[in-house]
Amino acid sequence: MNKILLVIQREYITRVLKKSFWISSLLAPVLLTAIYAIPIWLAMKDKEQKKVAILDLSHLWKPADLQDKELIFTFISKSEMQFKKEFSKDGYDAFVSIPANVLSNPKGVHIYSSKNIGLSLKESVERLIQNKVRQELMYQAGISEKVYEDTQVDIESDTITISDSGDETNSSSAGAMILAGVMGLILYVTLLLYGSQVMNGVIEEKSSRIIEVIISSVKPYQLMLGKIIGVGLVGLTQFLLWIVLTIGLTQVTSKVYASKASSMVGLSQDAQIKANADMAKAMQDSPMGEVTKVLESTNIPLVMFAFLFYFFVGYLLYSSLFAAIGSAVESATEAQQFTFIVMIPIIFSFLLAQYTMQDPDSTIAFWSSMIPFTSPINMMVRLPYGVPIWELVASMVFLLIGFFVCSWISARIYRVGILMYGKKATWKELSKWLFYKG
């Protein structure tokens, strides 16, 4: 046991002291905070207004019909052929030509620009023209605008989660999908990343013949287990750093925005109220805002425990297979024929997760969260939507059984392959190693 601890200590300290570990540990929380902070900053920032020239050949529009906080419209009376050649020189970002028969030919509207215009500008112009055309057509049909507006009802429902005790909390389907997608993606990337690190470490030690010295004092199984656990603890350390730093940075960012909104000088009371409302709406509509709604109705300690469990045990399962591959080959190039077989379940489970997010209670989602090779990603994807405790416990037990089976198989291959040189490993050869005695 002491020898396994020494191997774990060596693997852990060696990797934690690397600059790459700290760069990735600090950079990831900054990027996650940026996803939360940038949309809020953009919502608070005054947007630059665009100048748009209007040639209305139908004479239906008035200046009052073209009001937009991001666009400044100017009516012109020049010919279309003449003005479309000179509008950009006059400082206009776009030139809109509305045909005389726009009511019967709404597709006859042309928007000219010196370069490709932004989608928001195009949609704003089209929306303003569309509203007026619809209003005129309704007037001709004898339908009042009030009757039309009364029939335009937007349904926006609130999703509410009810606990077993009857407590109600607001939730968000979009937030659940975002949270599930993020956790699934993190597990997908880290299983491949840290599993590959274990394999490359074994290949490096074997090719440099250092392994022969190490094996003289440590049993192959102890070395493999120590290496796997050591790298896994590095991953757990990085996750904890990400969680703590991300929570800290988002809290600081929220306080900075709140203080900025409350200390606006020179604005009227109405302007300050509007600025605060815009910031609150931006925070609520941001991805982190949707995720916050889900977290309010979620058992956070359970999610954190499950995430760390599925990462660590799922990593142990796959890294034991990667370690076996590393022991059987002498170079990373030679390992490609074997690594693809191990990567298939990881890739397949990530693809299944896309379906699981859409229908977390389906039969496919259930079994993909029970099978050990696909459960780490798919169970974490299902968890934000709510999973019965018995399913979670069963999934964890099956994953542990899968790890013990895979580690036993990997240890049988590792003990032989780690000292095998000059002979290219094949699937047939690996199957023989399983039954070697000694």
Side-chain angles (χ1 to χ4, degrees):
M1 186 63 183
N2 289 335
K3 294 180 179 179
I4 296 178
L5 293 176
L6 289 174
V7 176
I8 293 173
Q9 182 181 9
R10 172 182 173 272
E11 294 293 332
Y12 181 82
I13 294 176
T14 301
R15 284 172 168 77
V16 166
L17 293 180
K18 289 183 178 180
K19 291 182 179 179
S20 58
F21 171 83
W22 289 103
I23 291 174
S24 59
S25 298
L26 297 175
L27 188 59
V30 173
L31 294 176
L32 289 173
T33 305
I35 295 174
Y36 160 76
I38 289 177
I40 301 174
W41 176 75
L42 291 175
M44 297 175 63
K45 188 177 181 294
D46 293 332
K47 296 183 179 179
E48 183 180 349
Q49 290 186 315
K50 303 289 186 182
K51 294 178 64 178
V52 180
I54 299 288
L55 175 61
D56 179 20
L57 299 177
S58 67
H59 304 292
L60 294 174
W61 275 262
K62 299 176 182 178
D65 298 324
L66 299 173
Q67 298 293 329
D68 190 279
K69 63 180 181 179
E70 297 178 16
L71 302 176
I72 300 175
F73 293 97
T74 303
F75 285 89
I76 57 104
S77 56
K78 298 180 180 180
S79 68
E80 182 176 346
M81 290 297 295
Q82 176 188 355
F83 195 70
K84 70 180 182 180
K85 298 178 181 179
E86 58 186 42
F87 74 91
S88 60
K89 297 178 183 178
D90 294 342
Y92 292 102
D93 296 285
F95 166 44
V96 181
S97 174
I98 303 175
N101 62 340
V102 66
L103 296 181
S104 59
N105 182 30
K107 293 186 178 181
V109 177
H110 294 152
I111 303 178
Y112 298 99
S113 64
S114 58
K115 58 182 181 180
N116 285 332
I117 61 174
L119 184 61
S120 61
L121 192 155
K122 179 176 181 292
E123 290 179 344
S124 296
V125 171
E126 290 177 345
R127 184 183 67 255
L128 292 170
I129 295 175
Q130 177 180 282
N131 291 341
K132 184 63 175 181
V133 169
R134 182 184 289 122
Q135 183 181 356
E136 288 295 326
L137 291 175
M138 287 191 303
Y139 177 78
Q140 293 180 8
I143 303 173
S144 68
E145 185 175 355
K146 184 178 184 307
V147 172
Y148 173 79
E149 292 296 336
D150 290 342
T151 60
Q152 303 304 300
V153 180
D154 293 329
I155 302 298
E156 187 174 343
S157 61
D158 292 330
T159 53
I160 301 172
T161 302
I162 303 177
S163 65
D164 294 336
S165 59
D167 296 331
E168 297 183 2
T169 53
N170 290 330
S171 62
S172 169
S173 298
M177 182 172 288
I178 294 171
L179 183 61
V182 169
M183 291 193 296
L185 181 61
I186 290 175
L187 286 173
Y188 170 72
V189 172
T190 52
L191 286 177
L192 289 175
L193 176 64
Y194 291 113
S196 298
Q197 283 188 16
V198 171
M199 183 187 70
N200 292 330
V202 174
I203 293 175
E204 183 181 350
E205 291 177 350
K206 181 179 178 180
S207 60
S208 63
R209 299 297 179 101
I210 296 176
I211 199 71
E212 297 178 2
V213 178
I214 300 176
I215 287 297
S216 62
S217 56
V218 180
K219 293 181 179 180
Y221 179 75
Q222 293 175 324
L223 178 61
M224 185 191 80
L225 192 61
K227 182 178 288 294
I228 291 172
I229 295 176
V231 176
L233 290 176
V234 173
L236 283 177
T237 303
Q238 196 163 53
F239 276 136
L240 292 174
L241 285 173
W242 285 349
I243 293 169
V244 172
L245 292 176
T246 301
I247 293 174
L249 287 173
T250 52
Q251 291 294 324
V252 170
T253 303
S254 298
K255 290 182 179 178
V256 169
Y257 281 145
S259 62
K260 183 178 179 180
S262 61
S263 62
M264 289 181 177
V265 181
L267 294 179
S268 64
Q269 185 176 0
D270 291 340
Q272 289 187 11
I273 293 174
K274 184 179 182 301
N276 289 328
D278 289 342
M279 187 189 72
K281 186 177 186 303
M283 293 177 67
Q284 184 177 0
D285 294 341
S286 67
M288 287 298 295
E290 294 294 332
V291 172
T292 301
K293 293 180 183 178
V294 177
L295 295 179
E296 290 176 354
S297 60
T298 302
N299 188 337
I300 304 299
L302 177 63
V303 172
M304 292 299 302
F305 169 76
F307 183 81
L308 295 177
F309 175 87
Y310 279 105
F311 161 73
F312 194 66
V313 182
Y315 155 80
L316 291 177
L317 186 151
Y318 277 105
S319 61
S320 64
L321 299 176
F322 277 113
I325 293 171
S327 68
V329 300
E330 296 181 24
S331 66
T333 304
E334 189 179 340
Q336 290 179 358
Q337 60 173 319
F338 300 108
T339 54
F340 181 70
I341 301 299
V342 178
M343 288 170 61
I344 285 177
I346 303 179
I347 297 173
F348 183 63
S349 64
F350 184 70
L351 295 176
L352 281 175
Q354 315 306 310
Y355 177 81
T356 301
M357 283 191 292
Q358 301 294 331
D359 191 1
D361 296 320
S362 64
T363 303
I364 294 176
F366 171 80
W367 286 110
S368 63
S369 62
M370 291 295 163
I371 299 173
F373 289 103
T374 58
S375 64
I377 294 177
N378 283 271
M379 180 54 83
M380 286 311 305
V381 167
R382 289 184 65 202
L383 207 55
Y385 296 93
V387 176
I389 292 297
W390 74 266
E391 290 186 16
L392 184 61
V393 173
S395 175
M396 290 180 172
V397 171
F398 290 149
L399 183 58
L400 285 171
I401 293 173
F403 160 64
F404 289 128
V405 172
C406 287
S407 63
W408 181 84
I409 294 173
S410 298
R412 303 289 292 182
I413 296 174
Y414 189 91
R415 67 192 179 113
V416 178
I418 201 68
L419 296 175
M420 188 72 70
Y421 296 96
K423 186 176 182 180
K424 191 173 181 179
T426 63
W427 289 106
K428 183 179 180 180
E429 195 71 24
L430 293 181
S431 62
K432 290 181 180 179
W433 294 357
L434 291 175
F435 304 103
Y436 280 178
K437 293 182 179 181

